[in-house]
Amino acid sequence: MKAIQIPGLQKIEVIDIPQPAAPAAGEVLIRLQYVGFCGSDLNTFLGRNGMAKENVIPGHEVGAVIEAVGAGVPETLKPGMQVTVNPYTNCGHCASCRNGRVNACQHNETLGVQRDGAMRELMILPWQKIIPAEGLAPKTCALIEPMSVGFHAVDRAQVTDIDTVMVIGCGMVGLGAIVRAVLRGATVIATDLDDEKLSLAKRLGAQYTINTKTEDAHARLAELTAGLGPDVIVEAVGSVPTYQLAVNEVAFTGRIACIGYAKSDAELPTRLFVQKELDVRGSRNAMPSDFRAVIQYLQRGTCPVDELISRVIKPEESQATMEYWMQNPGKVFRILVEMEG
């Protein structure tokens, strides 16, 4: 059967792999319909993802249908159901798992990174990783995982309706954070370098936007927050300047939720950690409750899903598409690969 593989630096190709057998007890066979390319896949393509295994099959943003189920699978999972996938693993023994925060398992292996992913026609997974997505289109299902990462960051920051929340970066994960903060009743300020992304952030509920390339972010934030700064900042870019922006601009006693991986260590004004008595919190992956929250939001039908999908491609177009993305990193929300047909 057909699969996509990243065999080396700036190379991605279609390969043939064996078709899986029938699912064993406790397993589910899914037929992949759409799988999203994400930033980690681009970094693997560029040779910048130190966590990715060699010759990895990418993909962990999944829209699929159940093909067959093995013995012992709950009756709530049946052939023909529209589903997405929780792509993370957890060991059950590390400190994170013992504390119930399985999303941050010390030994996590994410599909398409530490283990082969979902860009293939068929795949078998444990039933616990299959998430029903009733009423959602296959393309929409492929957006659930990246949005859930943004939802989780807002949960980590304990956002409430009295908070002003600044989200740095309006890619798919940042947009997820914006949606979740809006749903919680917060006042949301979206920041990015691209006006098109900021326009979409406003349609998703952000009350204010700041283009940090053309505007004075400090002056604008002072204007919007009466000089206090945002109560919460979600860093969804992963760069030294955006981490520095977050620490400098967050309010005294504010919270910072960090999603992005910076390519190098950031020099930060640590005195502000103390003076502001900051809560700086990492936010990794997502919890099952975040997936459920995203699904419930998307089921409302108010999300402009088509505007979040930059393009839909066939597997054979992957090389040209990744080269385009490499050259135009700021112009892509999500690229979906159509695995059927």
Side-chain angles (χ1 to χ4, degrees):
M1 68 177 183
K2 186 182 298 184
I4 297 171
Q5 184 183 63
I6 302 177
L9 183 63
Q10 295 185 25
K11 292 182 180 178
I12 188 166
E13 61 188 20
V14 179
I15 62 171
D16 187 66
I17 62 173
Q19 186 165 314
E27 294 181 336
V28 175
L29 174 66
I30 59 172
R31 181 170 295 279
L32 284 306
Q33 298 165 304
Y34 294 92
V35 183
F37 273 125
C38 82
S40 65
D41 300 321
L42 178 61
N43 283 328
T44 301
F45 177 79
L46 295 172
R48 298 174 184 170
N49 189 350
M51 295 184 292
K53 71 186 288 283
E54 289 187 6
N55 302 317
V56 70
I57 295 173
H60 56 258
E61 303 173 359
V62 171
V65 65
I66 294 179
E67 190 85 355
V69 300
V73 171
E75 292 185 1
T76 51
L77 298 176
K78 298 178 180 179
M81 289 183 66
Q82 189 67 54
V83 298
T84 191
V85 166
N86 182 330
Y88 323 121
T89 65
N90 62 284
C91 69
H93 305 294
C94 71
S96 299
C97 290
R98 282 194 328 221
N99 290 329
R101 288 161 66 177
V102 294
N103 60 297
C105 174
Q106 182 178 350
H107 307 292
N108 168 66
E109 294 184 353
T110 298
L111 285 176
V113 186
Q114 294 96 339
R115 58 191 173 123
D116 283 333
M119 287 196 179
R120 60 180 85 187
E121 295 179 67
L122 294 164
M123 189 174 196
I124 288 178
L125 289 165
W127 72 262
Q128 294 90 340
K129 298 300 178 184
I130 306 299
I131 303 173
E134 183 182 357
L136 296 184
K139 290 180 186 176
T140 304
C141 290
L143 304 178
I144 292 169
E145 191 274 342
M147 291 192 77
S148 73
V149 175
F151 271 48
H152 183 67
V154 169
D155 194 55
R156 285 283 291 145
Q158 296 177 303
V159 170
T160 73
D161 58 343
I162 63 171
D163 288 320
T164 296
V165 179
M166 173 183 175
V167 178
I168 304 176
C170 295
M172 270 299 301
V173 171
L175 291 176
I178 288 167
V179 168
R180 187 55 159 163
V182 170
L183 289 173
R184 290 194 172 191
T187 299
V188 179
I189 304 168
T191 69
D192 201 277
L193 303 173
D194 185 87
D195 285 332
E196 184 179 348
K197 289 184 176 180
L198 291 171
S199 176
L200 182 52
K202 263 213 153 170
R203 290 200 292 283
L204 288 172
Q207 287 93 334
Y208 306 102
T209 61
I210 300 174
N211 186 320
T212 53
K213 185 177 182 180
T214 60
E215 299 179 73
D216 183 332
H218 176 74
R220 185 88 171 103
L221 286 169
E223 174 190 343
L224 294 174
T225 65
L228 299 176
D231 304 291
V232 175
I233 294 184
V234 176
E235 199 291 326
V237 175
S239 72
V240 171
T242 52
Y243 267 87
Q244 292 169 335
L245 178 67
V247 174
N248 284 324
E249 298 299 339
V250 71
F252 274 65
T253 68
R255 289 102 70 198
I256 300 173
C258 307
I259 309 175
Y261 281 91
K263 306 300 182 294
S264 59
D265 290 339
E267 186 174 316
L268 298 171
T270 53
R271 62 181 174 78
L272 294 181
F273 287 47
V274 177
Q275 290 176 353
K276 290 185 174 184
E277 200 173 50
L278 296 182
D279 289 331
V280 181
R281 305 174 182 183
S283 182
R284 184 182 180 193
N285 299 330
M287 292 285 282
S289 58
D290 300 307
F291 282 85
R292 292 197 302 270
V294 172
I295 290 169
Q296 185 178 69
Y297 162 68
L298 291 172
Q299 286 171 335
R300 297 180 181 182
T302 58
C303 180
V305 170
D306 290 342
E307 295 182 53
L308 301 179
I309 301 170
S310 302
R311 58 175 66 180
V312 178
I313 66 167
K314 298 291 186 181
E316 293 76 14
E317 300 173 278
S318 296
Q319 178 72 36
T321 299
M322 292 300 262
E323 290 174 358
Y324 168 82
W325 193 5
M326 175 178 66
Q327 295 161 6
N328 302 275
K331 293 298 182 182
V332 171
F333 284 110
R334 267 304 173 272
I335 296 167
L336 302 187
V337 182
E338 185 176 4
M339 297 306 304
E340 290 187 305

